[in-house]
Amino acid sequence: MNLTAVDLFCGAGGLSAGLEMAGFRVLAGVDLFEAAGKTFEATHPHATFIGKPIEDLTICELLEVTGLKRGELTILAGGPPCQAYSVYNHQRGMHDSRATLFREYLRIVEGMQPEWIVMENVMGIYSIAGGAAVRTIKDELGALGYDVKEKVLKAEEYGVPQERRRVVFIGNRVGAPVRHPEPTHGDGLIPYTTIKDAIGDLAPLENGQDLGPIPYATSPSGDFQRFVRGNRRKVANHAAPRLGKVNVERLAHIKPGGSWRDIPFELLPAGMKRAKRSDHTKRYGRMTWEGLSCTVLTKCDIHWGAYIHPEQDRAVSVREAARLQAFPDWFEFSGSKTDQYVQVGNAVPPLLGRAIGMTIFDVICEARTSPSLAAA
């Protein structure tokens, strides 16, 4: 089967990687972020990266780049920038220009007429303007002939070692059933992938240490490490961000599973000296080997979340953050360290993308073998 995909707002290409794992051929990715584009180009050599605002992307250009005709694309995927919908953005709302970028996605849908659509966004999209964005997405896709359903997916239920909730819209115009992937991990299923499963084989680092590509510390242990490592002998992007002296002093007091509450009062940041003990539960959090990561954001800033290594007095490296997002180690991130963390935090975890892609793949196969579905 010639199953194709185009990824709008592709970033470094986490969703694209997942779709490729599921058997789709990604033909193009579109994004404005230059460093992410370099990563995408390096990790998706058979796809074309289009680095421009989606507002400037024409249907003719996309058809020419992909070599397709209108209606031939299997999946149009994309996650319009989520900052306008995020609960971390206290000025969020429909007035934010980023909140209307999904209309550009809809314009591309109308022009390309893909068989399937996949959209991903943060939970905050449900509450913005009383759910107006969600209703508009479904109503306007419906007007274009698509049956669309949305569901909150938990990344950890698909093998990702992280608590991450995302709203995923899936739809099609071919009359096939619309399904979301069934969980593979959790109670009664495959055990969750723990932080130790994810990063336990990576070499120890000192605060601020950058040794370039380095060998693994141990042989691979478990399916996840075998998956991310493949046949590689060294790993890149594994460098510790440099924390200031006072932060290093704070870390020495925080036990696994602990947080800012473990820091002596005189060492707390001024603003946190006024905090209630019930507030800021993830701030200055140290991970535990047997737990799941908190949501990986565009900054693994210890002041905002549990991004302290389980044993070492440092923040997690880009590679460790990427592992917690289930990126394979052949995914090497371009740009400054700040750019790299942004690429990792903005991405759809590839294993979640794979689960979505495999579910659509299964429906397509069923439709091609079932006369009733094929006729629809």
Side-chain angles (χ1 to χ4, degrees):
M1 292 187 292
N2 184 25
L3 302 177
T4 56
V6 167
D7 192 354
L8 304 180
F9 311 102
C10 64
L15 179 54
S16 288
L19 292 175
E20 288 176 340
M21 292 175 194
F24 293 85
R25 184 162 53 97
V26 176
L27 302 177
V30 183
D31 204 286
L32 190 58
F33 188 5
E34 182 179 355
K38 291 180 179 178
T39 301
F40 183 92
E41 289 178 319
T43 54
H44 300 82
H46 303 297
T48 298
F49 177 73
I50 304 173
K52 62 168 57 177
I54 192 172
E55 298 93 326
D56 297 340
L57 178 66
T58 68
I59 301 303
C60 289
E61 179 181 11
L62 200 49
L63 292 173
E64 181 179 354
V65 164
T66 60
L68 299 175
K69 296 178 181 178
R70 189 171 185 261
E72 290 184 342
L73 179 66
T74 311
I75 295 179
L76 183 69
C82 63
Q83 290 88 342
Y85 312 132
S86 174
V87 294
Y88 293 98
N89 174 14
H90 300 295
Q91 286 77 44
R92 64 199 177 113
M94 290 299 288
H95 61 275
D96 190 320
S97 62
R98 295 168 299 184
T100 58
L101 282 174
F102 73 83
R103 294 189 180 278
E104 293 296 325
Y105 177 89
L106 295 172
R107 175 180 65 85
I108 305 299
V109 171
E110 184 174 15
M112 292 294 291
Q113 283 291 292
E115 293 181 351
W116 289 79
I117 63 93
V118 174
M119 284 184 67
E120 175 265 354
N121 224 295
V122 294
M123 293 283 289
I125 197 172
Y126 274 125
S127 57
I128 186 173
V134 173
R135 291 193 298 272
T136 300
I137 289 168
K138 295 176 74 172
D139 289 348
E140 295 200 15
L141 283 168
L144 294 175
Y146 290 83
D147 178 23
V148 180
K149 296 178 182 177
E150 97 282 355
K151 185 177 181 179
V152 176
L153 299 183
K154 301 177 180 180
E156 64 269 28
E157 293 185 339
Y158 305 96
V160 181
Q162 174 193 168
E163 293 180 342
R164 191 180 189 92
R165 308 288 184 268
R166 287 297 184 267
V167 182
V168 176
F169 298 81
I170 299 176
N172 70 73
R173 62 168 179 80
V174 295
V178 177
R179 297 184 200 143
H180 285 77
E182 292 295 325
T184 55
H185 293 64
D187 293 340
L189 302 169
I190 301 170
Y192 289 127
T193 304
T194 67
I195 290 172
K196 187 167 188 176
D197 295 332
I199 67 172
D201 63 325
L202 297 177
L205 296 172
E206 299 293 332
N207 175 51
Q209 189 173 30
D210 184 351
L211 300 174
I214 55 175
Y216 296 98
T218 67
S219 299
S221 174
D223 291 340
F224 185 88
Q225 288 179 21
R226 284 188 284 271
F227 158 69
V228 293
R229 285 171 60 157
N231 60 2
R232 297 178 69 89
R233 296 182 179 275
K234 291 187 176 183
V235 62
N237 300 124
H238 185 44
R242 182 167 298 281
L243 302 176
K245 180 181 177 182
V246 67
N247 267 331
V248 174
E249 291 177 7
R250 291 165 180 158
L251 266 57
H253 297 277
I254 303 170
K255 60 185 182 296
S259 68
W260 69 279
R261 296 174 187 80
D262 298 321
I263 301 171
F265 182 81
E266 62 273 13
L267 283 180
L268 284 172
M272 296 184 71
K273 289 180 177 178
R274 300 188 296 272
K276 297 178 180 178
R277 302 293 289 179
S278 59
D279 289 346
H280 312 305
T281 54
K282 297 290 186 181
R283 288 192 174 192
Y284 286 90
R286 188 184 289 275
M287 298 175 175
T288 61
W289 282 128
E290 300 308 317
L292 292 167
S293 167
C294 65
T295 301
V296 174
L297 303 176
T298 55
K299 292 181 181 180
C300 288
D301 186 338
I302 65 172
H303 185 72
W304 294 107
Y307 302 118
I308 303 171
H309 189 277
E311 292 181 349
Q312 300 158 38
D313 287 340
R314 60 174 178 82
V316 294
S317 68
V318 171
R319 177 55 55 195
E320 287 164 333
R323 287 279 192 94
L324 298 172
Q325 280 276 63
F327 274 102
D329 290 351
W330 53 259
F331 237 94
E332 295 188 17
F333 298 89
S334 299
S336 67
K337 282 192 177 63
T338 297
D339 287 343
Q340 292 170 18
Y341 279 111
V342 170
Q343 291 171 61
V344 172
N346 273 338
V348 175
L351 287 184
L352 178 57
R354 183 180 71 175
I356 294 167
M358 289 177 66
T359 299
I360 295 174
F361 181 90
D362 289 344
V363 173
I364 291 172
C365 290
E366 290 170 14
R368 296 194 179 189
T369 58
S370 170
S372 60
L373 285 177

